[in-house]
Amino acid sequence: APSASAKKANPTPEAMLPVARDNFKRWNDALQTKNPKTVASLYSNSELSFLPTVSPEHIKKIDSTQEYFEAFVLKNPFGTITDDSVAVVDNGNGYLHSGMYTFELGEGDARAPVAARFSYVWRKFAGDWKITHHHSSVRPAQPSAAPAEASDAKVEEVMKMYKQAAERLSKETTLRLEQEAQLREVIVELEEIKKAIPQLASDK
């Protein structure tokens, strides 16, 4: 049998995912209190790396964290995870929770969703879960789809249309040239008749 001193194996990501989601709910519920101190209390005051969504700063202190949330809670934020995964570390005493969430921000008719990416590292300190890393950033727009390559059938169809147009143009050009030649012949005949009229008059 394994000894009592043997290292305990990491919990599986599947086993840790409910813990991660529960801790996210604690964090989201803290936002609903609109008390920045309550939100900041979930962050570690000894080791912290916080890269918020709407701040250019890299926050490393608990008082700066509280200051950030003083403005953020005024936006009435409510977060909903739309995609997430967990990686377990330190024999289950820590984990990385990352994925996508959508925040509803604003009031009344002005309320709007903001899709963002997130990563949290939570660690246990004396049995209490604290956030040691939090990164959040607005999700980039989807790149435009590359134009599909033209199929052989499409190329053949276009070439057929081009050939038909060229043939029609050739026929129309030939007909116009023939009409112009006929017109010149008529003009020549009229000129000859015009010249002959004085002679016919004198003969009378």
Side-chain angles (χ1 to χ4, degrees):
S3 66
S5 60
K7 274 191 173 182
K8 186 176 69 172
N10 275 356
T12 63
E14 291 78 10
M16 188 60 81
L17 188 58
V19 176
R21 290 175 176 171
D22 183 62
N23 278 334
F24 175 81
K25 184 178 183 304
R26 287 174 56 212
W27 179 82
N28 197 40
D29 288 347
L31 291 177
Q32 309 317 304
T33 69
K34 295 187 170 53
N35 185 335
K37 188 173 182 179
T38 301
V39 185
S41 70
L42 296 174
Y43 290 75
S44 169
N45 58 11
S46 60
E47 48 182 279
L48 178 61
S49 173
F50 182 23
L51 296 164
T53 312
V54 290
S55 170
E57 304 299 326
H58 181 194
I59 297 173
K60 302 177 183 179
K61 296 183 180 296
I62 203 73
D63 56 346
S64 301
T65 301
Q66 182 173 326
E67 183 180 341
Y68 170 78
F69 283 112
E70 285 173 1
F72 189 67
V73 296
L74 297 179
K75 301 176 186 290
N76 299 312
F78 185 89
T80 302
I81 292 175
T82 56
D83 181 65
D84 63 343
S85 61
V86 168
V88 185
V89 298
D90 194 20
N91 297 319
N93 289 313
Y95 63 86
L96 167 66
H97 187 201
S98 59
M100 305 283 190
Y101 50 19
T102 298
F103 267 93
E104 294 285 340
L105 300 172
E107 295 184 2
D109 294 339
R111 197 160 176 79
V114 177
R117 302 176 291 186
F118 72 85
S119 61
Y120 295 88
V121 173
W122 292 75
R123 287 189 176 276
K124 268 186 181 178
F125 294 89
D128 193 16
W129 286 107
K130 296 287 185 182
I131 299 167
T132 59
H133 164 80
H134 182 193
H135 171 255
S136 182
S137 58
V138 174
R139 188 174 67 187
Q142 293 287 349
S144 300
E149 292 185 6
S151 64
D152 291 342
K154 186 66 176 177
V155 172
E156 185 177 345
E157 181 184 353
V158 172
M159 291 302 295
K160 183 179 179 181
M161 291 171 61
Y162 173 80
K163 184 177 179 181
Q164 290 173 343
E167 289 175 351
R168 187 166 61 250
L169 177 63
S170 177
K171 289 178 181 178
E172 290 175 353
T173 302
T174 300
L175 178 60
R176 186 170 64 250
L177 291 175
E178 289 176 351
Q179 290 173 339
E180 289 176 354
Q182 291 172 358
L183 180 60
R184 283 195 296 271
E185 289 177 1
V186 171
I187 291 173
V188 169
E189 289 178 5
L190 288 174
E191 288 294 329
E192 290 177 353
I193 292 171
K194 183 178 178 181
K195 291 177 182 178
I197 288 175
Q199 181 64 38
L200 291 173
S202 62
D203 290 344
K204 289 181 179 181

